[in-house]
Amino acid sequence: MQQAAAQGPGAGSRIKVAVLGGGPGGISAAFWLSATPALRARYEVTVHTLGWRLGGKCASGRNMAVGGRIEEHGLHVLMGCYQSAFQTIRQCYAEWQPRASSPFKLWTDAMTPQWKVAAEEQAPNSSPPRWSPWEFTLPELPGEPGDPRLADTDALIGNLAAWLHGLLDAQPELAAELNHGPVLALLGRLASPSLCENVDEDAGSQLRQLAERVRTRLATRGPAPAAVDSAFADTLSHLLILADLGLSAAIGWFFDLMGKGQAGYDALNALDFRAWLGRHGATDTALNSAPIRALYDLTFAYRGGDASTLANGSLAAGVTFRFAMDMMLGYRHAPFWKMNAGTGDALFTPLYQVLAARGVKIELFHRVAGIELNADASRIGTIRIDQQADFTNGEYQPFVVVKGLDCWPNQPNWEQLVDGERLRQAGVNFESSHDTTVAKQLTLVDGQDFDQVVLAVPPDVIRAVAPALAAADARWASMVAQSVSVATEAFQLWLQPALGELGWPSSATIVSAYAERFDSWADMSQQLPHEDWPAADAPQAIEYFCGCLPQDASHADPERDVQAWLDASIAGLWPAATTPDGKLKPGVEISRYCRANWEGAERYVQTPAGSVSYRLPPGPAQFGNLYLAGDWTLTRFSGGCFE
């Protein structure tokens, strides 16, 4: 049997592909393997995933007992630079046939562009803490997300130079101090489309001289003002810090990356991003500023989940520079996109229904229990599956309908499960790694049940279910051993006042670098029309928060953590909604959802310095019939994201 399997399926038969995992990586693999009639004639695809819903760490569920509210694992926002992700989303929506009542017909119905973001900065030695936002409103850029990239990273340095040019040109006082004419001439040369050929040899020296002038001026200017400055463009300290960071990055690109291709980025990945900027002169003031803190918060980039200080932060410099450049300068249309319903509703409902219409089998309640190699350890030989439940009607219908939209519920449709009421009363959690519920056990065999395998579960799960792979291959063992993840914690609030009544000094935004442990916040009130609250209890705002969860996360008490954080910190964001002692006023909060994500499949995969070289590319992997999918593999960003 093994010899026949190694030769592949017989003439005229389809190649059987087992996709293990129902998160973005696994579902994207199934989507593109079945994207055309020719591919569907070639591949027979089956997705195996635990529990009652798709999405993995990005799953969401509707609480039908509480206003049909959306309950997420955390705060999920798509970046306008996610080319592959948006190609998948756009193709899916073009093919999707939703029910007639669905409010989402086009992908643009399901998402809202976001141009405004903010990074919070705490005034030093202030008691109680006082915070001021660095607000950024980014411009609309050509095209739509999913279009071909505006440019690769080397070309985007021209966008950075153009941004610095505009920043200095808009500040006559600063530009004069920094020797205005030569500065603009240099930045103009850097912004040339053929900059790699046209930048002369002394450009690096000139960049360094310019950076020194900026840093000298920053040192004499002193720290940024503590009070909220609504006219951010006039805050010279902030502009100097941004110029310091931008010039440090430009100098680093010039000396470490220009003309070196991927090898240059690979070499940088051994360094932390802040350390790399510091190596090229960035001041401590800039390296500890709110924009840098926001980047580390956004990527949960803290050792052991301890985000109390940036000294605990670690981000591989090469992929982080590429990501930051794409995120801020290389997006299409808008830099960020917020979903108008749950991530499951907006993304995984249409993906599930398109895949089902194509004939892809999606086996819910299939927990991967073990993966074994064949006799000579050359390929995957068997996959053990625990089927967690049987269905009363032979087939499981996964959705509930909210406001005309097919949605994933926040718990199984128990009435469709054999012994469902008993399982419900027993508190069975099919998504927990500690769940041992088994209706039957299946063994999938190479050459019989599958020919190829797409492994789309994270390394924390791989360690538990596939130790034989690490034992058989040193590079695989290193990849698994060097993969680092972190637990996260999140909560959502449904509020009676609208955002404008909370005291937040701006409009809807995405905020990071705020007080630990819930350092990131987004207003998600655009989801209100797609929940189903009684009119008398209808909220006027929905707010999402998330952050790292320190070690010993299995003992977390999210309700306690959230309440303690709200009592200590929410007044800094919403002063009009709090009492004099800083707590939320009675009647402000209508509903709350809290969760801690500490189990293996829920943890966020980090990208610390020195880790990228151990990642394996998506495929083929070290074993002949095994391919990989997920944000833990070697990709353009090599980090935890949809892309």
Side-chain angles (χ1 to χ4, degrees):
M1 178 181 292
Q2 297 299 340
Q3 183 177 2
Q7 295 172 351
S13 60
R14 293 197 294 169
I15 298 170
K16 296 179 179 179
V17 181
V19 178
L20 308 182
I27 296 305
S28 296
F31 183 85
W32 290 109
L33 282 169
S34 62
T36 66
L39 287 170
R40 294 193 286 276
R42 178 171 173 77
Y43 295 108
E44 179 184 334
V45 181
T46 303
V47 177
H48 304 270
T49 188
L50 85 168
W52 66 94
R53 55 185 171 177
L54 298 184
K57 292 190 290 290
C58 302
S60 67
R62 295 300 189 113
N63 190 327
M64 302 305 288
V66 188
R69 73 181 188 187
I70 298 159
E71 297 177 351
E72 295 268 10
H73 279 63
L75 171 58
H76 302 300
V77 176
L78 297 177
M79 307 289 182
C81 63
Y82 287 173
Q83 182 187 20
S84 298
F86 272 103
Q87 284 177 342
T88 304
I89 293 166
R90 287 167 58 178
Q91 177 64 30
C92 176
Y93 268 83
E95 192 175 335
W96 185 37
Q97 297 293 320
R99 64 172 63 236
S101 62
S102 174
F104 299 162
K105 300 293 195 300
L106 306 174
W107 75 268
T108 48
D109 297 332
M111 297 187 192
T112 294
Q114 179 74 40
W115 284 277
K116 180 176 288 187
V117 294
E120 288 281 334
E121 182 173 68
Q122 184 177 354
N125 304 317
S126 59
S127 182
R130 289 184 292 128
W131 294 83
S132 60
W134 293 47
E135 289 197 274
F136 303 87
T137 301
L138 300 174
E140 181 176 338
L141 293 182
E144 292 186 334
D147 288 351
R149 289 189 186 91
L150 284 170
D152 206 349
T153 309
D154 277 355
L156 285 177
I157 201 74
N159 291 16
L160 176 60
W163 175 80
L164 286 166
H165 186 295
L167 183 152
L168 296 176
D169 198 31
Q171 296 292 321
E173 173 201 350
L174 177 59
E177 289 186 34
L178 300 179
N179 201 355
H180 183 258
V183 166
L184 296 185
L186 170 62
L187 294 176
R189 291 204 306 281
L190 282 173
S192 167
S194 54
L195 60 96
C196 289
E197 292 79 17
N198 291 344
V199 176
D200 49 41
E201 292 184 359
D202 69 343
S205 176
Q206 293 181 42
L207 274 173
R208 284 175 167 162
Q209 292 173 20
L210 171 58
E212 284 307 310
R213 291 197 291 272
V214 167
R215 292 161 187 157
T216 299
R217 187 67 181 89
L218 178 59
T220 60
R221 180 73 181 181
V228 172
D229 186 350
S230 59
F232 166 73
D234 295 329
T235 305
L236 188 57
S237 297
H238 287 182
L239 294 174
L240 286 164
I241 288 171
L242 292 175
D244 185 359
L245 293 172
L247 286 164
S248 300
I251 294 166
W253 168 83
F254 187 91
F255 287 100
D256 295 341
L257 295 170
M258 187 176 71
K260 296 180 181 178
Q262 185 58 45
Y265 289 91
D266 291 342
L268 282 192
N269 284 327
L271 293 174
D272 172 60
F273 183 63
R274 291 173 69 243
W276 176 64
L277 292 175
R279 191 169 77 173
H280 292 291
T283 62
D284 287 344
T285 299
L287 292 175
N288 291 292
S289 65
I292 291 293
R293 181 64 187 243
L295 179 62
Y296 280 70
D297 288 351
L298 176 71
T299 51
F300 302 101
Y302 299 97
R303 299 178 186 90
D306 181 2
S308 60
T309 171
L310 269 171
N312 291 333
S314 185
L315 274 174
V319 295
T320 303
F321 175 68
R322 174 175 279 160
F323 172 69
M325 291 288 285
D326 277 15
M327 178 178 65
M328 304 305 293
L329 299 169
Y331 57 87
R332 288 292 200 171
H333 189 62
F336 304 95
W337 293 80
K338 298 193 294 190
M339 282 162 276
N340 293 338
T343 311
D345 312 333
L347 299 184
F348 291 99
T349 289
L351 284 165
Y352 176 95
Q353 293 177 338
V354 166
L355 289 175
R358 291 176 178 178
V360 172
K361 300 175 185 175
I362 301 179
E363 299 285 5
L364 301 172
F365 298 96
H366 271 209
R367 179 177 56 232
V368 178
I371 301 172
E372 303 293 341
L373 296 168
N374 64 355
D376 64 2
S378 63
R379 47 194 288 124
I380 303 301
T382 58
I383 303 167
R384 290 183 288 109
I385 300 288
D386 287 343
Q387 182 175 316
Q388 299 170 290
D390 280 323
F391 312 133
T392 54
N393 295 322
E395 185 177 355
Y396 184 75
Q397 301 297 324
F399 298 116
V400 293
V401 180
V402 181
K403 294 286 199 69
L405 183 65
D406 286 325
C407 303
W408 304 89
N410 69 342
Q411 56 186 303
N413 292 322
W414 299 104
E415 71 281 2
Q416 297 185 40
L417 305 184
V418 173
D419 292 331
E421 182 58 24
R422 178 183 63 80
L423 294 170
R424 186 188 68 79
Q425 291 190 14
V428 168
N429 179 1
F430 292 110
E431 294 179 333
S432 171
S433 61
H434 298 287
D435 175 58
T436 58
T437 307
V438 179
K440 67 179 68 169
Q441 294 180 313
L442 311 172
T443 299
L444 310 183
V445 179
D446 181 24
Q448 176 179 315
D449 303 295
F450 64 87
D451 302 299
Q452 296 176 353
V453 180
V454 176
L455 185 57
V457 295
D460 286 297
V461 176
I462 293 171
R463 292 187 186 101
V465 302
L469 278 63
D473 185 90
R475 191 172 178 205
W476 182 273
S478 295
M479 181 272 291
V480 174
Q482 296 297 325
S483 178
V484 183
S485 64
V486 65
T488 62
E489 199 166 22
F491 70 95
Q492 300 161 228
L493 295 178
W494 288 259
L495 305 178
Q496 182 56 246
L499 176 65
E501 302 171 66
L502 299 177
W504 171 247
S506 186
S507 56
T509 190
I510 300 169
V511 171
S512 198
Y514 190 55
E516 298 304 332
R517 75 179 46 163
F518 299 99
D519 50 49
S520 297
W521 159 53
D523 176 72
M524 299 294 282
S525 300
Q526 79 284 351
Q527 295 179 345
L528 284 169
H530 304 294
E531 296 185 336
D532 194 20
W533 294 86
D537 298 321
Q540 302 302 307
I542 307 176
E543 312 302 329
Y544 284 32
F545 294 82
C546 69
C548 286
L549 183 56
Q551 289 176 336
D552 298 326
S554 61
H555 303 295
D557 182 342
E559 291 284 351
R560 178 200 62 202
D561 295 343
V562 168
Q563 190 60 56
W565 185 88
L566 286 171
D567 290 345
S569 303
I570 198 61
L573 292 178
W574 304 339
T578 55
T579 59
D581 62 355
K583 297 183 172 72
L584 282 176
K585 292 178 180 177
V588 166
E589 180 182 334
I590 292 175
S591 190
R592 179 189 301 186
Y593 175 67
C594 313
R595 67 174 294 136
N597 303 303
W598 57 268
E599 299 210 44
E602 299 173 337
R603 295 169 65 91
Y604 180 89
V605 179
Q606 298 173 304
T607 312
S611 68
V612 176
S613 62
Y614 294 99
R615 289 178 174 236
L616 294 174
Q622 310 305 96
F623 307 98
N625 60 345
L626 179 62
Y627 294 78
L628 310 179
D631 60 8
W632 49 278
T633 62
L634 185 65
T635 64
R636 176 176 174 80
F637 294 144
S638 290
C641 63
F642 274 89
E643 184 68 359

